[in-house]
Amino acid sequence: MMFRPLFWEEDKLVLLDQTRLPWEEHWLGLRTWEEVAEAIRSLRVRGAPAIGIAAAYALALAALRPNPGRTPKEEVREAQEALAKTRPTAVNLFWALERMGRVAQAVKESELFPALLSEAQRIHEEDIAANLRIGELGADLLPKNVRVLTICNTGALATGGHGTALGVVRTAFVQGKLKMVYVCETRPVLQGARLTAWELRREGIPFRLLADFAAGLLFRKGEVDAVLVGADRIARNGDFANKVGTYVLAVLAHRHGVPFYAVAPSSSFDLSLPSGEAIPIEERPEEEVLAPYGCRFAPEGTRAWNPAFDLTPGELVSAFVTEKGVIRPPYARTIPEALSG
Ligand code: MRU
């Protein structure tokens, strides 16, 4: 059975609280869209596709339980606006909200909740199907006994299930192709150390965790055959935003002649942006750097800078692996072509 980090049950959204992993597996039952918005903001649910799916279910909750004084349609509009302000970078959030918004506009008030719930479930199922296809296409690109380097968490936890970059790892493991996954711990909030390690351990996939900047030496020693990363928003020319640290890995891969693959569903592309310059980069609270999970590293009074993402130029990307196929340069032509099909 495929592990799903979130699902609809009776009249609520159930999701695994990722801020409490790996220490405890605590499932939340969310009954209002406001609770889902809080879960997105505070990273209880995170990863671009999972954020989009959670927001879609949140709109179903808005239709089911409007606040006093509002019709279900008014509540959905209110929720849509508020959810769009939770996290700015992952385009999947806006893609899902717009898709749900179109359904909300097309149906009568009495059909609003069932229509929105079905659409959210469709978005969820489509994401899983896309990931399984991506897994196959990505694994085909890898040599036998491959040693892969990755960052952040792009697994089942970050998606509807299976994962994107980590989905490729999963598929390659099942195919007997995978020798080792090197996992960057991913400071400051440690999605690699806490979440990717949790997923890989559950499935017995061989991995080593490394401090983020150990990656340089790993390349130098010739221990990396391919880099697989996710993406939060990909512009038309192949520039893309992903977890901070991704750009460093892309530069290292280029320097060492190692293929660098960005792995993402079509819902992570933003064709309205000609280049990455216009991608909004989220800056998160300083406390995440200064005192992650309550452990204060820096002296009192220290200020921090905490961009959650960085920007990798398309020219450093060997290929994008999507459910619509593997996309190779020149991206300004091939990305729009692949996504229109
Ligand atoms: O801040 P996060 O944990 O939401 O960041 C997640 C990432 O950067 C992932 O690489 C990206 O969303 C792709 S997840 C399949």
Side-chain angles (χ1 to χ4, degrees), residues 273-285:
L273 301 182
S275 77
E277 292 316 308
I279 299 179
I281 300 289
E282 176 182 10
E283 291 199 14
R284 293 195 54 88

PDB file of all heavy atoms in Angstrom, residues 273-285:
ATOM      1  N   LEU A 273       6.009  33.062 -16.463  1.00  0.00           N
ATOM      2  CA  LEU A 273       7.278  33.733 -16.140  1.00  0.00           C
ATOM      3  C   LEU A 273       8.348  33.385 -17.178  1.00  0.00           C
ATOM      4  O   LEU A 273       8.721  32.219 -17.315  1.00  0.00           O
ATOM      5  CB  LEU A 273       7.782  33.311 -14.753  1.00  0.00           C
ATOM      6  CG  LEU A 273       6.854  33.602 -13.574  1.00  0.00           C
ATOM      7  CD1 LEU A 273       7.515  33.166 -12.275  1.00  0.00           C
ATOM      8  CD2 LEU A 273       6.491  35.076 -13.520  1.00  0.00           C
ATOM      9  N   PRO A 274       8.868  34.386 -17.895  1.00  0.00           N
ATOM     10  CA  PRO A 274       9.898  34.093 -18.906  1.00  0.00           C
ATOM     11  C   PRO A 274      11.208  33.610 -18.291  1.00  0.00           C
ATOM     12  O   PRO A 274      11.946  32.848 -18.908  1.00  0.00           O
ATOM     13  CB  PRO A 274      10.091  35.426 -19.624  1.00  0.00           C
ATOM     14  CG  PRO A 274       9.494  36.466 -18.750  1.00  0.00           C
ATOM     15  CD  PRO A 274       8.474  35.802 -17.869  1.00  0.00           C
ATOM     16  N   SER A 275      11.509  34.066 -17.068  1.00  0.00           N
ATOM     17  CA  SER A 275      12.751  33.627 -16.412  1.00  0.00           C
ATOM     18  C   SER A 275      12.522  33.575 -14.904  1.00  0.00           C
ATOM     19  O   SER A 275      11.468  33.972 -14.409  1.00  0.00           O
ATOM     20  CB  SER A 275      13.898  34.593 -16.728  1.00  0.00           C
ATOM     21  OG  SER A 275      13.741  35.756 -15.937  1.00  0.00           O
ATOM     22  N   GLY A 276      13.552  33.106 -14.191  1.00  0.00           N
ATOM     23  CA  GLY A 276      13.396  32.913 -12.749  1.00  0.00           C
ATOM     24  C   GLY A 276      13.400  34.193 -11.933  1.00  0.00           C
ATOM     25  O   GLY A 276      12.999  34.186 -10.758  1.00  0.00           O
ATOM     26  N   GLU A 277      13.832  35.308 -12.556  1.00  0.00           N
ATOM     27  CA  GLU A 277      13.979  36.553 -11.774  1.00  0.00           C
ATOM     28  C   GLU A 277      12.690  36.932 -11.050  1.00  0.00           C
ATOM     29  O   GLU A 277      12.725  37.503  -9.960  1.00  0.00           O
ATOM     30  CB  GLU A 277      14.400  37.712 -12.687  1.00  0.00           C
ATOM     31  CG  GLU A 277      15.806  37.573 -13.253  1.00  0.00           C
ATOM     32  CD  GLU A 277      16.832  37.127 -12.206  1.00  0.00           C
ATOM     33  OE1 GLU A 277      16.891  37.761 -11.142  1.00  0.00           O
ATOM     34  OE2 GLU A 277      17.548  36.140 -12.462  1.00  0.00           O
ATOM     35  N   ALA A 278      11.554  36.628 -11.665  1.00  0.00           N
ATOM     36  CA  ALA A 278      10.273  37.068 -11.086  1.00  0.00           C
ATOM     37  C   ALA A 278       9.692  36.062 -10.094  1.00  0.00           C
ATOM     38  O   ALA A 278       8.608  36.295  -9.545  1.00  0.00           O
ATOM     39  CB  ALA A 278       9.278  37.335 -12.209  1.00  0.00           C
ATOM     40  N   ILE A 279      10.392  34.953  -9.850  1.00  0.00           N
ATOM     41  CA  ILE A 279       9.842  33.980  -8.888  1.00  0.00           C
ATOM     42  C   ILE A 279       9.969  34.564  -7.476  1.00  0.00           C
ATOM     43  O   ILE A 279      11.068  34.934  -7.054  1.00  0.00           O
ATOM     44  CB  ILE A 279      10.593  32.621  -8.955  1.00  0.00           C
ATOM     45  CG1 ILE A 279      10.450  31.995 -10.349  1.00  0.00           C
ATOM     46  CG2 ILE A 279      10.068  31.661  -7.878  1.00  0.00           C
ATOM     47  CD1 ILE A 279      11.179  30.664 -10.523  1.00  0.00           C
ATOM     48  N   PRO A 280       8.861  34.664  -6.741  1.00  0.00           N
ATOM     49  CA  PRO A 280       8.968  35.192  -5.377  1.00  0.00           C
ATOM     50  C   PRO A 280       9.664  34.170  -4.470  1.00  0.00           C
ATOM     51  O   PRO A 280       9.287  33.001  -4.441  1.00  0.00           O
ATOM     52  CB  PRO A 280       7.513  35.396  -4.939  1.00  0.00           C
ATOM     53  CG  PRO A 280       6.678  34.612  -5.894  1.00  0.00           C
ATOM     54  CD  PRO A 280       7.488  34.294  -7.114  1.00  0.00           C
ATOM     55  N   ILE A 281      10.694  34.622  -3.774  1.00  0.00           N
ATOM     56  CA  ILE A 281      11.436  33.727  -2.880  1.00  0.00           C
ATOM     57  C   ILE A 281      10.988  34.006  -1.446  1.00  0.00           C
ATOM     58  O   ILE A 281      11.161  35.121  -0.939  1.00  0.00           O
ATOM     59  CB  ILE A 281      12.962  33.941  -3.012  1.00  0.00           C
ATOM     60  CG1 ILE A 281      13.438  33.655  -4.453  1.00  0.00           C
ATOM     61  CG2 ILE A 281      13.732  33.101  -1.993  1.00  0.00           C
ATOM     62  CD1 ILE A 281      13.435  32.213  -4.871  1.00  0.00           C
ATOM     63  N   GLU A 282      10.446  33.010  -0.819  1.00  0.00           N
ATOM     64  CA  GLU A 282       9.940  33.157   0.552  1.00  0.00           C
ATOM     65  C   GLU A 282      11.088  33.372   1.532  1.00  0.00           C
ATOM     66  O   GLU A 282      12.084  32.660   1.487  1.00  0.00           O
ATOM     67  CB  GLU A 282       9.184  31.874   0.934  1.00  0.00           C
ATOM     68  CG  GLU A 282       8.680  31.848   2.369  1.00  0.00           C
ATOM     69  CD  GLU A 282       7.982  30.526   2.711  1.00  0.00           C
ATOM     70  OE1 GLU A 282       8.051  29.566   1.910  1.00  0.00           O
ATOM     71  OE2 GLU A 282       7.383  30.473   3.792  1.00  0.00           O
ATOM     72  N   GLU A 283      10.915  34.378   2.403  1.00  0.00           N
ATOM     73  CA  GLU A 283      11.848  34.512   3.532  1.00  0.00           C
ATOM     74  C   GLU A 283      11.093  34.116   4.792  1.00  0.00           C
ATOM     75  O   GLU A 283      10.012  34.618   5.059  1.00  0.00           O
ATOM     76  CB  GLU A 283      12.375  35.941   3.625  1.00  0.00           C
ATOM     77  CG  GLU A 283      13.277  36.237   2.450  1.00  0.00           C
ATOM     78  CD  GLU A 283      14.190  37.429   2.655  1.00  0.00           C
ATOM     79  OE1 GLU A 283      14.350  37.900   3.798  1.00  0.00           O
ATOM     80  OE2 GLU A 283      14.741  37.897   1.637  1.00  0.00           O
ATOM     81  N   ARG A 284      11.668  33.202   5.544  1.00  0.00           N
ATOM     82  CA  ARG A 284      10.973  32.662   6.716  1.00  0.00           C
ATOM     83  C   ARG A 284      11.556  33.257   8.005  1.00  0.00           C
ATOM     84  O   ARG A 284      12.583  33.939   7.968  1.00  0.00           O
ATOM     85  CB  ARG A 284      11.060  31.125   6.694  1.00  0.00           C
ATOM     86  CG  ARG A 284      10.260  30.540   5.507  1.00  0.00           C
ATOM     87  CD  ARG A 284      10.011  29.065   5.643  1.00  0.00           C
ATOM     88  NE  ARG A 284       9.386  28.673   6.883  1.00  0.00           N
ATOM     89  CZ  ARG A 284       8.057  28.632   7.093  1.00  0.00           C
ATOM     90  NH1 ARG A 284       7.211  28.965   6.131  1.00  0.00           N
ATOM     91  NH2 ARG A 284       7.582  28.239   8.260  1.00  0.00           N
ATOM     92  N   PRO A 285      10.899  33.003   9.129  1.00  0.00           N
ATOM     93  CA  PRO A 285      11.339  33.623  10.390  1.00  0.00           C
ATOM     94  C   PRO A 285      12.807  33.336  10.734  1.00  0.00           C
ATOM     95  O   PRO A 285      13.299  32.228  10.506  1.00  0.00           O
ATOM     96  CB  PRO A 285      10.414  32.985  11.425  1.00  0.00           C
ATOM     97  CG  PRO A 285       9.199  32.568  10.666  1.00  0.00           C
ATOM     98  CD  PRO A 285       9.665  32.219   9.281  1.00  0.00           C
TER      99      PRO A 285
END
